[in-house]
Amino acid sequence: MSETLTALARVRPRLSRLAIWNMCVGFFGIQIGFGLQNANTSRIFQTLGAEVDSLAILWIAAPLTGLLVQPIIGHFSDRTWGRLGRRRPYFLVGAILTTLALFVMPNSPSLWIAASMLWVMDASINVTMEPFRAFVGDNLPEEQRTTGYAMQSFFIGAGAVFASCLPWLLSNVFHVASTAPGGVIPDSVRISFYVGAVGLLTAVLWTVFTTREYSPEQIAAFEADRATAAEGDSAALRPAGRWLTGGLIWIAVGALGFWGVIAAGLAKDLLILTGFIAGFGLLQVAVGLFRRVQASNGLTEILGDIFAMPRTMRGLAVVQFFSWFALFAMWIYMTPAVTAVHFGAADATSAAYGRGADWVGVLMGIYNGVAALAAFLIPVLARRIGKRGAHAVNLALGAAGLAGVFLIRDPALLWLPMIGVGFAWASIVSMPYAILSSAVPGRKMGVYMGVFNIFIVVPQLVAATLLGALLKGLFGEQAIWALVIGAVSFLIAAGASLRVPQEAA
C-alpha cells in the first residue's frame, strides 16, 4: 500500500474543469490590461502629439520591459515558497501595480509621461503574467496542459473583448464623449482604463484565493524521472572561454552596427537594436568572468539556461519570432492604418478619426472574441493533426486575416479578416506553451517560461526599431503596409511550426 501511495505521489493528479477554470480566471484580468494598452496606446500617443513614424519607438517600452522582467521573475518564482505559495505572490503584487498604472496612464499630461507610464504598466503586467504560464505547467499533468493553456486562451480572448470594446460601448451606448480638445485624452478612453483597472484586480484576486499550489518537494517528486543536465549549473556546461569569446563577438557586432547606423544616416531607432546586441554581449562577458572564479548567481543561471535550451524550445523560438513580429505590426499600426485608409482621417482630433479608432477597438474585440471561442476548438484540432500542425494552420489563418485588412476597403466588412487573426491569436497564446511545458524540467518551469519570453520580446524590439523606418523609406509612411508585412511574417511562422523538433530535449 505504501508503495502505491509513493507511486501516486510521483504523478500529478488530473484536476477538475472547475479547478482549471479557477487557475485561469486571472488571465481575464491580465488581458484587460493588455487589451486596453494594445487598442488605445497609439491613440493616446497620437492625441498627445506623436507622429505615425514615431509610434513604434514609443512602444519600445513594452518589449524592453518584458525582456528584463520575465526571466528575472521566472527565476525567482521558481525559488519562492511562502504562505501564498510559489507563483501567487507575484500574481498579487503585479496586479496591484498594474491597477495603479491603469488609473494614471489616461491622465498623462504629455507624450513622454504617457510613454513612461506604458513602461510602468507593462512591467507590472509582466510581473503578474509570467508566473501564470508556469502555474499551468506546475499544476497540470501533461495530458491536461493543452486544455489548461487553451483555457487561458479563452480568458485572454474574453478579457480582450471586454477591454477593446469598452471605449466604443461608452461612446455609443452610454454617450460618453469619444473626442476631446487637442492634447486631451477623450473621456471614453479614460473611463475605460478605470473600469479595466477594477476588473483586472478582481479577476487576479479570484485566482489567488481559489487555487492552491504544489510545494517544491512535490514538484521535485513529479519531475524525478525527467531530471536533465539543465537542472544543474547550466552555465557550467559552457566553458568560461566560450562565454568571453561569444560575448566579445556580440559586443563587436553591436558596436559595428552602431557605427553603421550613424555613418549611413539611418533612423536613430536602430541604435536601440544595436545597443541590445552589445548589451547581450556584455552579459555574456560578465558570466564568463563569474565562471572563471567558479561563482554562481542569478545572472549565470539565467544566461546558462538560455544557452542550454532544449531543441524543442529552439525550434519554437523561430515560430515565436515571426508570430509576434506580425502581432506587433498589427497592434502598432492597426489604428493609423484603418483611420487613414478606411475612414480617410489623419487628424487625431477629428470626429472621423475618433470613429475609426473606436471601430479599431471593436475589431480588436472581434478577433479576441473569436479567440475565446477558438480556444475550445484548438485542443480538438491538436488531437487530430498534432500540436505543431494545429499551430501552423492557425498561423496561416492569421496571415489571411492581415492580408484581408489590406484588401478590403469597406470598414463595415473588416470584421471578416479578424476571424483569421482570432484563430492565430488563440493558438499563439496556448500551443507554444503546451509544446514547451513538456520539453523543459519542472523545477525550472518559471525561468524557462520567462526565457521563452525573449522570443516574444526580440521580434517586438525589431518591429519597433525597423517598422517605422521601413514605412517611411519604402511605403511613404502608409501604415496599412505594416499589416502586409505582418501577413508575410505569419506565413513564415506557420512553415517554421511544422519544423519544430518532435522530441522533448
Side-chain angles (χ1 to χ4, degrees), residues 327-375:
L327 287 172
F328 209 55
M330 179 183 70
W331 288 334
I332 295 174
Y333 290 106
M334 189 72 163
T335 296
V338 170
T339 53
V341 173
H342 299 85
F343 286 82
D347 180 1
T349 65
S350 68
Y353 182 95
R355 290 194 300 273
D358 285 347
W359 185 235
V360 169
V362 175
L363 295 176
M364 296 288 187
I366 289 171
Y367 91 72
N368 280 288
V370 170
L373 298 176

Side-chain angles (χ1 to χ4, degrees), residues 428-447:
I428 288 167
V429 295
S430 59
M431 296 309 299
Y433 300 96
I435 297 168
L436 179 66
S437 65
S438 301
V440 300
R443 191 173 67 85
K444 290 194 172 186
M445 187 72 72
V447 71

Side-chain angles (χ1 to χ4, degrees), residues 147-489:
T147 299
Y149 286 115
M151 185 67 75
Q152 279 192 355
S153 180
F154 167 76
F155 279 112
I156 288 170
V161 168
F162 178 73
S164 298
C165 292
L166 266 177
W168 186 90
L169 288 171
L170 287 171
S171 62
N172 289 275
V173 178
F174 296 99
H175 307 294
V176 177
S178 63
T179 59
V184 178
I185 310 301
D187 287 345
S188 61
V189 174
R190 187 166 46 83
I191 295 172
S192 294
F193 274 66
Y194 300 160
V195 174
V198 175
L200 182 148
L201 185 60
T202 302
V204 173
L205 288 176
W206 180 283
T207 290
V208 168
F209 293 113
T210 62
T211 57
R212 67 179 183 87
E213 296 184 70
Y214 295 114
S215 69
E217 293 75 20
Q218 288 173 302
I219 294 290
F222 295 149
E223 299 291 328
D225 296 332
R226 298 182 61 238
T228 68
E231 293 194 68
D233 185 357
S234 53
L237 299 176
R238 197 168 189 244
R242 288 189 62 192
W243 282 109
L244 293 169
T245 302
L248 291 173
I249 291 173
W250 278 78
I251 292 171
V253 171
L256 287 172
F258 187 93
W259 176 84
V261 170
I262 297 295
L266 300 177
K268 296 299 185 290
D269 300 358
L270 297 174
L271 296 177
I272 296 174
L273 187 58
T274 63
F276 169 79
I277 293 170
F280 187 59
L282 286 172
L283 291 177
Q284 292 180 65
V285 169
V287 172
L289 295 175
F290 281 125
R291 291 308 311 155
R292 279 194 168 177
V293 296
Q294 301 298 307
S296 180
N297 51 44
L299 176 63
T300 63
E301 290 184 26
I302 292 172
L303 266 290
D305 289 334
I306 290 174
F307 282 89
M309 287 186 297
R311 289 179 62 243
T312 297
M313 188 171 176
R314 293 175 187 271
L316 284 170
V318 179
V319 180
Q320 291 290 84
F321 179 91
F322 288 102
S323 300
W324 285 89
F325 185 92
L327 287 172
F328 209 55
M330 179 183 70
W331 288 334
I332 295 174
Y333 290 106
M334 189 72 163
T335 296
V338 170
T339 53
V341 173
H342 299 85
F343 286 82
D347 180 1
T349 65
S350 68
Y353 182 95
R355 290 194 300 273
D358 285 347
W359 185 235
V360 169
V362 175
L363 295 176
M364 296 288 187
I366 289 171
Y367 91 72
N368 280 288
V370 170
L373 298 176
F376 296 103
L377 299 176
I378 288 175
V380 177
L381 183 62
R383 285 193 293 270
R384 289 181 175 273
I385 64 174
K387 298 174 185 175
R388 294 154 183 80
H391 195 42
V393 168
N394 290 319
L395 291 173
L397 290 174
L402 290 187
V405 176
F406 174 79
L407 295 172
I408 293 172
R409 286 296 180 263
D410 183 352
L413 296 179
L414 289 180
W415 65 270
L416 287 169
M418 289 299 101
I419 295 173
V421 175
F423 271 88
W425 176 235
S427 194
I428 288 167
V429 295
S430 59
M431 296 309 299
Y433 300 96
I435 297 168
L436 179 66
S437 65
S438 301
V440 300
R443 191 173 67 85
K444 290 194 172 186
M445 187 72 72
V447 71
Y448 269 120
M449 288 294 178
V451 168
F452 198 50
N453 184 61
I454 291 173
F455 310 118
I456 297 173
V457 170
V458 170
Q460 293 183 18
L461 182 61
V462 173
T465 54
L466 287 182
L467 278 174
L470 284 174
L471 291 181
K472 187 173 184 178
L474 300 178
F475 300 107
E477 297 187 35
Q478 297 181 57
I480 193 72
W481 286 98
L483 304 185
V484 177
I485 295 171
V488 174
S489 189

Side-chain angles (χ1 to χ4, degrees), residues 85-110:
R86 189 184 194 187
R87 315 291 183 188
R88 288 177 295 165
Y90 297 92
F91 301 167
L92 183 59
V93 171
I96 292 171
L97 293 175
T98 306
T99 298
L100 295 175
L102 284 168
F103 274 104
V104 176
M105 174 79 169
N107 293 295
S108 300
S110 68

